[in-house]
Amino acid sequence: MLEMLKAAGKEGAFYMFRHMKPEADQEWADAATTFPGALYWMSGLPNASEGWGPMDPSKDMHRPSPIGIPPFADREDAETMIAGFQRDGFHGPLNIYRGMQPYFDQAKAFAGAKIRQPAFFAYGTADSMVKMRALNEEDLKPAAPNLQGFLPLEGVGHWPQLEASEAVNEALVAFLNKRKA
């Protein structure tokens, strides 16, 4: 994926490339601003025209949240995360982006492999990452022929487990209970 984006000249636009740079640690450093900002801007809360755009640096996730910690996030958990990031920084968490190309290189060995286990897929329809590529149940079936659940959550962004926790939990429990039967 990253090689295709580079070849298309998107290295300056796609957010993952910015997260790989050494200066990304400093861009995230003010955790009291950046963490709630990422939660808010990547969620389904902002107007779609203002929300996070993975290919649009002007719609960066580092913008301050206009409402602080979003209501879907547990305040105590969010404050604990902020304190941890303020103490330890973001270098470790950002390493996931720095290690992504080696991961993709190693994953090539599994190109075309099928997920044969029973699978369930939930996502937020307002997630800008999902909007980069049309997504529907039929698109997943060739790679996951035993797909037994597909849950698009309208108006939910990048954090469905937080933004629509009740719907996600209910659907997952039903999927798991069906597996036990």
Side-chain angles (χ1 to χ4, degrees):
M1 176 183 88
L2 297 177
E3 290 171 356
M4 289 187 305
L5 289 168
K6 282 181 185 179
K10 303 292 185 186
E11 199 166 351
F14 190 52
Y15 83 102
M16 286 186 186
F17 292 116
R18 292 192 313 274
H19 286 8
M20 292 175 190
K21 295 178 179 179
E23 57 269 23
D25 297 6
Q26 195 54 42
E27 289 176 8
W28 280 93
D30 179 12
T33 299
T34 57
F35 185 70
L39 287 174
Y40 176 80
W41 292 112
M42 295 173 76
S43 77
L45 292 175
N47 180 302
S49 66
E50 297 174 349
W52 172 61
M55 297 294 284
D56 185 350
S58 73
K59 294 182 179 177
D60 194 66
M61 66 182 77
H62 296 102
R63 295 172 285 166
S65 167
I67 60 171
I69 296 169
F72 60 77
D74 179 275
R75 178 166 285 287
E76 187 177 335
D77 287 348
E79 288 172 351
T80 298
M81 295 289 290
I82 291 166
F85 288 134
Q86 287 174 324
R87 181 188 63 240
D88 301 328
F90 283 90
H91 187 79
L94 289 170
N95 279 342
I96 192 167
Y97 299 102
R98 297 173 182 124
M100 209 159 275
Q101 188 59 54
Y103 165 78
F104 286 141
D105 294 343
Q106 292 171 4
K108 286 178 187 175
F110 300 99
K114 306 235 183 283
I115 299 169
R116 302 208 181 276
Q117 294 78 9
F120 183 90
F121 188 80
Y123 71 99
T125 61
D127 184 348
S128 294
M129 285 298 291
V130 172
K131 290 178 186 178
M132 288 179 60
R133 180 178 174 268
L135 181 66
N136 63 55
E137 191 170 358
E138 293 309 309
D139 288 340
L140 296 178
K141 290 216 174 188
N146 203 3
L147 183 66
Q148 297 179 5
F150 185 82
L151 179 63
L153 297 157
E154 291 299 321
V156 171
H158 197 69
W159 321 110
Q161 73 283 10
L162 299 175
E163 296 176 67
S165 59
E166 287 184 27
V168 170
N169 287 339
E170 182 179 305
L172 287 175
V173 167
F175 167 73
L176 293 170
N177 283 337
K178 188 168 105 177
R179 299 302 322 138
K180 289 187 340 187

